Amino acid sequence: MTSAYDVLFEPVRIGPVTAKNRFYQVPHCNGMGYRDPTALAHMRGVKAEGGWAVVCTEQVELHYSSDITPFIELRLWDDRDIPALARMAEKIHEHGALAGIELAYNGMNGPNLYSREVPMGPAHLPVATFTYDPVQARAMDKTDIANLRGWHLAAVKRAKRAGFDLIYVYAAHALGFLHHFLSRRYNQRGDEYGGSIENRVRLLREITEDTKAAIGDTCAVPIRISVDELLGEGGLEVAEVEDMIGLLGDLPDLWDVTLAGWENDSRTSRFAEEGAQEPFISGVKRLTSKPVVGVGRYTSVDRMAALVRKGVLDMIGAARPSIADPFLPNKIREGRLEDIRECIGCNICVSGDFTQSPLRCTQNPTMAEEWRKGWHPERIRPKETDKPVLIIGAGPAGLEAAQALGKRGYEVALAEAGRELGGRVARECRLPGLAAWGRVRDYRMMQLHKLPNVQVYLDSHLKAEDVAEFGFPRVVLATGARWRNDFVGHQHTHPLDVAAEARIFTPDDIMNGTYPAAQRVLVWDDDHYYMGGVMAEALAKRGHRVIYATPASEASTWTRNTMEQHFIQKRLLEAGVEIIVSHGIGRVEADHAVLTCMFTGREKILEVGAVVPVSARLPNDALLHELRAANHAALGIEQLSAIGDALAPATIAHATYAGRRFAEELDAPVRPADMLPFKREITALLKE
Ligand code: ADP
Ligand code: SF4
């Protein structure tokens, strides 16, 4: 039977190799890198199993003279790095996919904190990092350029020996020397490598030619390039990059086109729609006969097919959609669109890279646990007993536990106090910019519909006696958490002095539709993730005069890890929100709040009629304590536990992970208390 999506399953020739379909997992970081090579190999292998025709590494440091510490990526400095990379290529090949490697020389994007070598770039400039490192790069001379060509070539040959089929020339995201040479922002050279477009492209051409000459007979050579730096005349612009692509035309075997720096290419759903890159990349195909791949957080299959038909892209690139659902291609091929776990565009995955920890995903709790814990995004072992499970609360934790236990074959009852499923995501997805977060609920609801062994009870606020009436031997509370109204958080670990007449509204009040009557409202953000900024935005949208204050030195500071901080602060300023940073809160009175400078303690009085504290949350665990007090064993409950926010409030990703973990570990053999709950790879010691 033919389908509108068949076009997505046509093979694509990429130089000397052929991709079996048009699904292309572009390079993406993951916080595992050289520290966790086997876990990483298995993660990539699962993508290949899920049907991606091309599966790539993250950026791979190609020479010791440019390291990207503190980020943990892969390394191909010398032959000793080959086995770790070969393991990944093997895992990818096991499932018939092509393995791609993104060789990177960060140049002036790496302060070389590990190697302590002097970074190099096209000009004498401070290193361009996220952290304003007090290090400068030195301008490369001709010998440096010749050396770097040699190092790149040596790495290319090693990559081939490691088994890779596509070996990248990386000139994108402002993350490497080639991008720096292309961009007027960094390239201020007066020699044949600077100035005109032809000159700025010269090094990219030379490196690509070197690479093709060395391995082009058997491996494909893609170029990855940023089509615009979004800096206006100060940086690369579409027309200029199109000229560059036109100059190189058919030299590479594939063009992988990206937008500006990583924070723009991987914007969250709060700040960019699916396919936001399209207007920037749609002109590339007419400049080359070689295949073009691009990303856009694509999860709409119609959109993907249209991109191919319209001649915008030949291959659908994906990082995040492949993290949220490694089996996306197979599900499309099998016509199981309702089973796709759509990326919500939250960038929690990105935070793994920024915090040097294995990536996690809000939608796919098995991500990065494929080897460490043996979890699989589509499979879970069958039940070991016939004992039914009562799950109380249908937020992300309860929903994930219910669907995973349901798939194991357990009889499950899922009781939810509210009239809808989803818990916090059902409420939060109604806040400005967070609509896509509802997908956390939608995917799981769809799975539950298919599981006759899971009974869902809405409008069922359970008390201890109701739980006893169920008579289930396993009871798990996923009852979530509530925002505190007493200002306890990072700054105050004890409740604040608040006047009885002061008007205090928590984020829960606002989400439940209870808004302040006062015109001037203070949003006090001591949570530092998204909620404070979103509250300020929501209130400003309703016409309140909003003052946003925080003890941190910027709005929503943790969102640096999701690459949103800049966008959030911009949006708040543009919405007319007054931002006061580096101020704690001292007192709250009926008609004013007293802020205190975090450095001097100096007081600032703000006349406001209401305050919204966004600080910490408290678990909804009253039922847990009631059941424990009632001696749950006597009620026939053998196993009673709390998961997700009901145990300790955290991100939605923590909640889906907790739900999955509960389901994975139910009836598993008891682990000795001192045994690690995951596999760990340990660096082998060299002989001293
Ligand atoms: P998590 O993020 O840990 O999944 P949420 O706050 O999103 O937590 O979800 C908790 C859900 O539990 C909410 O939908 C809430 O209505 C529900 N809930 C809380 N207490 C009870 C209870 N006693 N009986 C049934 N459902 C409850
Ligand atoms: Fe998408 Fe969020 Fe998962 Fe990243 S963490 S892949 S943005 S759902």
Side-chain angles (χ1 to χ4, degrees):
M1 205 173 70
T2 58
S3 112
Y5 307 135
D6 285 352
V7 67
L8 297 171
F9 293 92
E10 292 165 352
V12 180
R13 186 143 188 90
I14 312 173
V17 298
T18 301
K20 65 182 177 187
N21 62 39
R22 296 186 188 271
F23 291 95
Y24 191 115
Q25 183 243 273
V26 294
H28 71 74
C29 299
N30 52 75
M32 293 195 276
Y34 60 78
R35 188 193 50 212
D36 304 302
T38 301
L40 184 48
H42 281 248
M43 182 269 274
R44 301 288 187 202
V46 166
K47 306 268 195 94
E49 186 190 349
W52 299 87
V54 178
V55 177
C56 297
T57 62
E58 62 269 50
Q59 53 169 305
V60 181
E61 295 171 2
L62 66 89
H63 191 257
Y64 71 85
S65 61
S66 183
D67 72 76
I68 190 65
T69 312
F71 294 92
I72 298 178
E73 314 291 333
L74 281 164
R75 287 192 170 146
L76 195 45
W77 290 2
D78 59 42
D79 287 359
R80 290 174 302 166
D81 292 313
I82 292 178
L85 281 148
R87 179 164 290 180
M88 187 188 307
E90 261 167 46
K91 285 281 155 210
I92 294 168
H93 288 155
E94 268 174 26
H95 300 282
L98 298 172
I101 181 168
E102 183 180 72
L103 296 177
Y105 189 89
N106 291 85
M108 55 179 298
N109 169 240
N112 285 348
L113 301 174
Y114 183 80
S115 69
R116 303 186 68 173
E117 296 295 321
V118 176
M120 298 191 295
H124 286 292
L125 280 172
V127 289
T129 58
F130 293 107
T131 36
Y132 296 114
D133 294 85
V135 174
Q136 282 205 194
R138 67 175 177 81
M140 293 166 75
D141 62 21
K142 294 286 169 50
T143 310
D144 297 320
I145 290 177
N147 286 342
L148 183 42
R149 282 177 65 177
W151 300 333
H152 194 279
L153 190 58
V156 162
K157 291 177 183 165
R158 277 190 210 108
K160 177 175 167 163
R161 279 167 56 204
F164 286 90
D165 310 289
L166 287 84
I167 301 180
Y168 262 87
V169 174
Y170 185 37
H173 291 137
L175 292 180
F177 75 112
L178 287 169
H179 181 122
H180 302 139
F181 269 80
L182 292 180
S183 173
R184 273 172 285 130
R185 179 169 156 77
Y186 304 107
N187 186 339
Q188 299 147 15
R189 302 176 72 91
D191 63 4
E192 69 268 34
Y193 289 98
S196 67
I197 288 183
E198 286 78 2
N199 281 356
R200 280 182 281 139
V201 155
R202 189 177 309 279
L203 191 51
L204 175 57
R205 179 192 293 283
E206 289 173 352
I207 294 265
T208 310
E209 285 171 351
D210 293 346
T211 306
K212 286 209 69 159
I215 49 92
D217 53 338
T218 50
C219 301
V221 181
I223 291 182
R224 200 170 200 205
I225 195 166
S226 290
V227 289
D228 200 311
E229 287 185 297
L230 303 180
L231 298 169
E233 284 184 3
L236 289 169
E237 291 179 282
V238 174
E240 186 184 30
V241 177
E242 288 188 351
D243 287 347
M244 291 174 174
I245 294 174
L247 281 176
L248 299 179
D250 285 352
L251 178 61
D253 296 310
L254 172 138
W255 285 98
D256 178 341
V257 286
T258 68
L259 182 59
W262 185 20
E263 65 281 14
N264 277 299
D265 211 24
S266 294
R267 282 201 201 187
T268 57
S269 54
R270 194 171 160 192
F271 295 99
E273 294 291 318
E274 177 170 342
Q277 289 91 330
E278 196 180 327
F280 294 92
I281 59 163
S282 52
V284 174
K285 271 228 16 105
R286 65 179 155 74
L287 305 170
T288 176
S289 68
K290 297 300 173 76
V292 176
V293 63
V295 294
R297 201 167 20 81
Y298 292 116
T299 57
S300 151
V301 192
D302 289 317
R303 180 88 182 256
M304 296 177 202
L307 285 166
V308 176
R309 280 207 206 87
K310 280 194 295 183
V312 176
L313 293 175
D314 298 287
M315 303 193 76
I316 306 300
R320 291 172 292 173
S322 77
I323 294 170
D325 198 337
F327 276 62
L328 184 127
N330 282 358
K331 288 176 183 176
I332 297 173
R333 202 191 59 222
E334 292 157 15
R336 296 194 291 126
L337 303 192
E338 76 285 359
D339 287 338
I340 295 174
R341 224 170 11 247
E342 284 187 282
C343 169
I344 71 166
C346 62
N347 279 7
I348 278 293
C349 49
V350 171
S351 76
D353 197 47
F354 275 86
T355 56
Q356 297 91 48
S357 43
L359 85 165
R360 66 274 337 259
C361 171
T362 303
Q363 273 287 54
N364 174 11
T366 69
M367 181 44 53
E369 303 296 351
E370 301 85 356
W371 177 77
R372 291 207 320 173
K373 289 197 159 159
W375 293 1
H376 190 278
E378 301 303 313
R379 288 194 295 274
I380 187 162
R381 70 184 194 291
K383 65 177 181 176
E384 273 121 6
T385 67
D386 285 326
K387 296 179 183 177
V389 188
L390 171 62
I391 300 171
I392 307 173
L399 284 173
E400 174 62 22
Q403 72 99 20
L405 286 171
K407 285 176 180 166
R408 289 191 62 188
Y410 285 96
E411 288 297 324
V412 177
L414 174 63
E416 164 55 47
R419 297 217 167 107
E420 60 176 350
L421 298 177
R424 63 184 287 190
V425 291
R427 278 176 294 139
E428 291 181 20
C429 76
R430 294 186 195 112
L431 292 169
L434 303 186
W437 293 21
R439 293 171 173 185
V440 172
R441 166 202 56 202
D442 300 343
Y443 163 73
R444 289 167 178 83
M445 270 173 71
M446 187 55 78
Q447 300 305 298
L448 292 182
H449 279 310
K450 295 185 175 187
L451 292 164
N453 49 328
V454 180
Q455 304 304 320
V456 178
Y457 302 91
L458 286 175
D459 235 343
S460 304
H461 192 285
L462 300 196
K463 302 201 182 62
E465 57 268 28
D466 306 316
V467 176
E469 220 167 90
F470 263 92
F472 278 30
R474 280 89 181 274
V475 176
V476 55
L477 276 81
T479 43
R482 62 197 181 280
W483 287 95
R484 300 182 72 128
N485 64 1
D486 56 6
F487 295 79
V488 167
H490 295 270
Q491 188 199 359
H492 297 290
T493 50
H494 294 279
L496 188 72
D497 206 3
V498 176
E501 316 77 53
R503 304 257 174 227
I504 309 294
F505 294 79
T506 67
D508 292 316
D509 294 326
I510 307 287
M511 285 189 277
N512 292 334
T514 310
Y515 290 93
Q519 167 66 5
R520 281 173 66 83
V521 180
L522 168 66
V523 173
W524 160 249
D525 187 2
D526 197 20
D527 170 61
H528 308 287
Y529 189 18
Y530 59 91
M531 188 55 87
V534 172
M535 283 294 123
E537 203 183 325
L539 289 163
K541 274 210 163 95
R542 281 179 60 90
H544 292 277
R545 176 82 187 85
V546 182
I547 300 126
Y548 167 101
T550 177
S553 55
E554 60 192 0
S556 301
T557 190
W558 194 83
T559 63
R560 281 187 169 259
N561 296 309
T562 53
M563 302 194 300
E564 291 174 290
Q565 196 285 323
H566 175 88
F567 299 120
I568 292 173
Q569 191 133 353
K570 177 172 188 273
R571 183 169 284 178
L572 294 185
L573 290 170
E574 285 175 352
V577 173
E578 182 186 341
I579 297 177
I580 301 176
V581 298
S582 304
H583 274 75
I585 196 156
R587 282 190 320 278
V588 182
E589 304 290 348
D591 57 357
H592 69 272
V594 179
L595 300 184
T596 49
C597 171
M598 293 302 284
F599 304 107
T600 63
R602 234 174 264 145
E603 293 193 343
K604 186 193 270 284
I605 294 178
L606 283 182
E607 284 181 18
V608 286
V611 181
V612 179
V614 184
S615 50
R617 287 177 289 157
L618 277 172
N620 294 327
D621 53 6
L623 180 58
L624 181 75
H625 295 304
E626 250 183 84
L627 287 166
R628 280 188 183 148
N631 186 9
H632 60 272
L635 302 175
I637 303 172
E638 294 167 16
Q639 189 179 335
L640 173 68
S641 39
I643 58 170
D645 292 332
L647 182 65
T651 62
I652 300 167
H654 279 81
T656 51
Y657 175 81
R660 182 74 183 200
R661 183 171 186 178
F662 180 83
E664 291 274 358
E665 293 182 354
L666 191 70
D667 291 326
V670 177
R671 183 170 28 87
D674 58 353
M675 192 177 145
L676 287 187
F678 50 82
K679 282 195 273 188
R680 178 166 76 108
E681 203 149 36
I682 296 182
T683 310
L685 291 181
L686 289 180
K687 278 212 178 77
E688 283 181 288

